[in-house]
Amino acid sequence: MPYDYDKCVAVVTGGSSGIGLATVRLLLESGARVAFCARNESRLNEVAAVLKRDFGDDTVLTQAFSVLDRDAVQGFADLVHQTWGRCDLLVNNAGQGRISTFEDTTDDDWRAEYELKLFSQVLPVRVFLPMLREAGGAIVAVNSLLAYQPEPHMVCTSSARAGVQNLLKSLSVELAPEVRVNSVLLGLIGSGQWTRRFAEREDQSVSRAEWYGALAEKKGIPLGRLGEAEEAAHAIAFLGSRAASYITGAQLEVSGGLSRHI
Ligand code: NDP
């Protein structure tokens, strides 16, 4: 087993694709039972069917909803409690970035982005907290290097992500000693938006490795490539595991060295 999640229950938001899905799979391989959500029900069901085949029917629990729907998030926590009676790890991963400069970001865009970034943390933490406290559990938030290294073409995402890091630091103090709170700061991971952009590339003859390699060079990533979803999942699984039992309020960068701050 990659990590020790024996007898543990983990919850992953946005588990039907990319980093969330890689995390769900790694946690299952590590012995956890995993509950996860996403909005698109058919994709969620497809993914759940594969995982149940690989790991067993009683190891996977899914529900389709948006993490911004307060009642649905509460309903999901109730379902996890009724089914498994505990929650040892909450991974707040659901979301996406918004590409816009200050000049083309409207007031509604700002509100939507702040709502997504902040409430995708606030709502799940609030409803899973009683179970996390009881289990002596952990929260891992999936955040971005943009929190510290803002990009002008992602102005509102960068700003909202900085707010999330600040919130997580407060949580790590308020929820201690029962619950640990950590985050991963991602650079460019070859999932989500990058998979979609690769699919839409101008020259369709260019391979994934070539396209990602050129992108890494343009962005100045020292390791010379984009990260894989599985590499982000390892950082998440480690921070949530007993191996990280003395780590709270920390941020782990998964960026191939893209970070320039020390
Ligand atoms: P993907 O698009 O591959 O996966 C996102 C997952 O979140 C999907 O399962 C999606 O399913 C779900 N999701 C999105 N919005 C919601 C919502 N409101 N409620 C519930 N589920 C939701 O993206 P990645 O795996 O690449 O990204 C995962 C996280 O990492 C995101 O928060 C992203 O912003 C962040 N990140 C990614 C980076 C990267 O380079 N890939 C860089 C920095 C941060 P559905 O659409 O069906 O809801």
Side-chain angles (χ1 to χ4, degrees):
M1 280 193 199
Y3 302 90
D4 180 10
Y5 279 96
D6 189 34
K7 300 191 172 53
C8 289
V9 168
V11 170
V12 179
T13 67
S16 67
S17 162
I19 295 155
L21 175 55
T23 303
V24 169
R25 189 168 264 284
L26 184 56
L27 292 169
L28 287 164
E29 286 168 0
S30 301
R33 286 164 289 169
V34 186
F36 61 100
C37 69
R39 293 163 302 177
N40 183 321
E41 189 161 22
S42 60
R43 189 168 57 175
L44 191 65
N45 289 342
E46 272 171 39
V47 164
V50 173
L51 294 171
K52 283 180 179 176
R53 183 200 65 201
D54 293 351
F55 297 97
D57 278 348
D58 54 352
T59 59
V60 171
L61 192 62
T62 57
Q63 206 162 57
F65 62 89
S66 168
V67 284
L68 301 182
D69 179 340
R70 183 192 310 261
D71 293 342
V73 177
Q74 179 65 63
F76 190 46
D78 294 343
L79 178 68
V80 171
H81 191 258
Q82 282 155 21
T83 312
W84 290 327
R86 61 184 297 132
C87 175
D88 301 86
L89 171 64
L90 169 64
V91 179
N92 282 332
N93 163 76
Q96 62 199 34
R98 179 183 290 267
I99 295 174
S100 66
T101 63
F102 182 78
E103 282 200 306
D104 54 39
T105 307
T106 66
D107 289 355
D108 284 346
D109 292 339
W110 278 102
R111 287 195 186 92
E113 189 60 3
Y114 266 72
E115 185 183 8
L116 176 62
K117 294 297 179 292
L118 286 172
F119 283 89
S120 63
Q121 303 294 329
V122 168
L123 298 181
V125 169
R126 187 181 285 140
V127 300
F128 283 99
L129 190 53
M131 282 188 276
L132 287 166
R133 276 211 167 103
E134 205 178 326
I139 296 166
V140 179
V142 176
N143 205 0
S144 164
L145 202 52
L146 292 172
Y148 290 90
Q149 211 161 276
E151 292 277 0
H153 72 283
M154 295 185 79
V155 67
C156 59
T157 290
S158 298
S159 162
R161 289 203 180 282
V164 167
Q165 276 315 103
N166 192 291
L167 163 68
L168 295 169
K169 199 64 165 176
S170 296
L171 280 177
S172 72
V173 175
E174 184 174 331
L175 305 189
E178 293 91 358
V179 180
R180 297 183 299 106
V181 182
N182 293 295
S183 60
V184 290
L185 298 183
L186 305 178
L188 278 65
I189 305 297
S191 58
Q193 61 178 350
W194 296 113
T195 312
R196 291 187 281 275
R197 286 187 206 166
F198 168 65
E200 290 158 12
R201 68 198 178 286
E202 255 174 48
D203 181 355
Q204 290 284 322
S205 70
V206 174
S207 72
R208 183 177 186 268
E210 286 167 344
W211 195 83
Y212 280 180
L215 181 60
E217 195 179 336
K218 187 174 143 202
K219 297 279 183 184
I221 300 174
L223 291 188
R225 62 178 177 84
L226 269 64
E228 297 293 340
E230 291 72 21
E231 293 174 307
H234 272 285
I236 295 165
F238 164 68
L239 285 172
S241 75
R242 295 174 183 121
S245 54
Y246 200 54
I247 301 178
T248 196
Q251 56 230 10
L252 182 50
E253 291 175 7
V254 185
S255 72
L258 180 60
S259 153
R260 293 286 178 269
H261 57 269
I262 51 170

